Amino acid sequence: KETLAADSGTSAPAVTEYGDPGAGIVLIRPVGRHDEASVEDEIKIIRTNTGMEFKVLSFTVEDWNRDLSPWEAPPAFGKEGFGGLAARTLGEILKYCGDRSLKYYIGGYSLAGLFALWAAYQTDVFDGVAATSPSMWFPGFSEYMSDNGIGCDKVYLSLGNREEKTRNPIMSTVGDRIRDSYVALKESGVNCILEWNEGNHFTDPVIRTAKAFSWILTA
């Protein structure tokens, strides 16, 4: 584990490197501060599942709703809306993806999963996307996917089987939207899987995310 860029109070995410620095595979993991402690646990599971060596670049964003949302949107719950600064965050990430002899995979959980999926529509740098319980309810996102082409050929999607069973009218659309997006990706020729996990949105995020990265590394 090595900190490459400390958070100096600016909007740039702090970057931490894990794993084999000379590996030909790089996993890009946008996280919030609440996720930082779990990254090393994910790495152990991925290694066990795949037997592969890789490097992980973990990008800790300052403001989850602001820095990972592709465009501005009103609150889905509570009072905090979405700031729409994903393009700025992706710009920082791409600074670390300049060696095209390496394979880069991007993934994340919840809004970070949505960000990872959106990022693959902005660039062809990534060889695959691990979108674990992504926030597919995000306004306009499934329509965006329908209207645009993705820049990678492998996508892992997952959802908890209780996530759509909520009284929140916005978030309850997550199941239908991820099903539709899975079909659209398959029809466009993407190697894609949609996996349903037991539980709600907060059940076993470390295990689910490790499973997602394991799939795109071996698919």
Side-chain angles (χ1 to χ4, degrees):
K1 176 179 175 181
E2 178 186 1
T3 299
L4 301 181
D7 187 352
S8 60
T10 68
S11 59
V15 188
T16 306
E17 179 181 318
Y18 303 83
D20 179 1
I25 296 170
V26 183
L27 308 185
I28 304 293
R29 182 75 169 90
V31 299
R33 296 204 180 280
H34 55 285
D35 298 311
E36 285 179 313
S38 66
V39 173
E40 292 184 89
D41 292 331
E42 286 176 16
I43 291 169
K44 291 175 185 176
I45 299 171
I46 298 167
R47 281 199 179 120
T48 298
N49 289 347
T50 67
M52 300 170 73
E53 286 300 319
F54 49 84
K55 176 169 68 176
V56 175
L57 293 178
S58 174
F59 293 82
T60 304
V61 298
E62 215 174 72
D63 186 312
W64 184 257
N65 282 11
R66 180 193 69 188
D67 296 334
L68 295 177
S69 51
W71 45 81
E72 292 184 6
F77 51 88
K79 296 181 179 179
E80 186 181 357
F82 298 89
L85 294 186
R88 186 172 71 180
T89 302
L90 179 59
E92 294 295 325
I93 288 173
L94 291 177
K95 292 176 182 178
Y96 293 83
C97 302
D99 185 348
R100 297 305 293 265
S101 70
L102 306 179
K103 287 185 173 293
Y104 298 94
Y105 299 90
I106 188 169
Y109 199 89
S110 191
L111 189 58
L114 183 91
F115 170 86
L117 197 52
W118 169 84
Y121 283 84
Q122 314 309 306
T123 176
D124 63 358
V125 163
F126 305 114
D127 290 272
V129 174
T132 315
S133 288
S135 304
M136 299 298 294
W137 48 262
F138 192 83
F141 192 75
S142 57
E143 293 85 353
Y144 178 85
M145 289 179 64
S146 297
D147 293 340
N148 294 277
I150 195 166
C152 71
D153 59 8
K154 288 194 287 187
V155 175
Y156 176 100
L157 300 171
S158 74
L159 208 64
N161 58 12
R162 290 169 53 195
E163 292 195 52
E164 62 188 326
K165 298 173 182 177
T166 172
R167 294 180 180 178
N168 184 301
I170 297 175
M171 301 181 77
S172 65
T173 65
V174 68
D176 287 340
R177 293 197 172 174
I178 203 168
R179 291 183 190 95
D180 291 345
S181 298
Y182 165 70
V183 170
L185 287 167
K186 290 287 284 187
E187 289 179 346
S188 66
V190 175
N191 182 9
C192 183
I193 186 174
L194 171 56
E195 190 160 17
W196 293 88
N197 296 300
E198 290 292 326
N200 62 25
H201 186 67
F202 303 100
T203 306
D204 298 327
V206 173
I207 294 171
R208 290 182 185 180
T209 305
K211 185 164 57 171
F213 273 112
S214 299
W215 187 87
I216 61 170
L217 286 176
T218 57

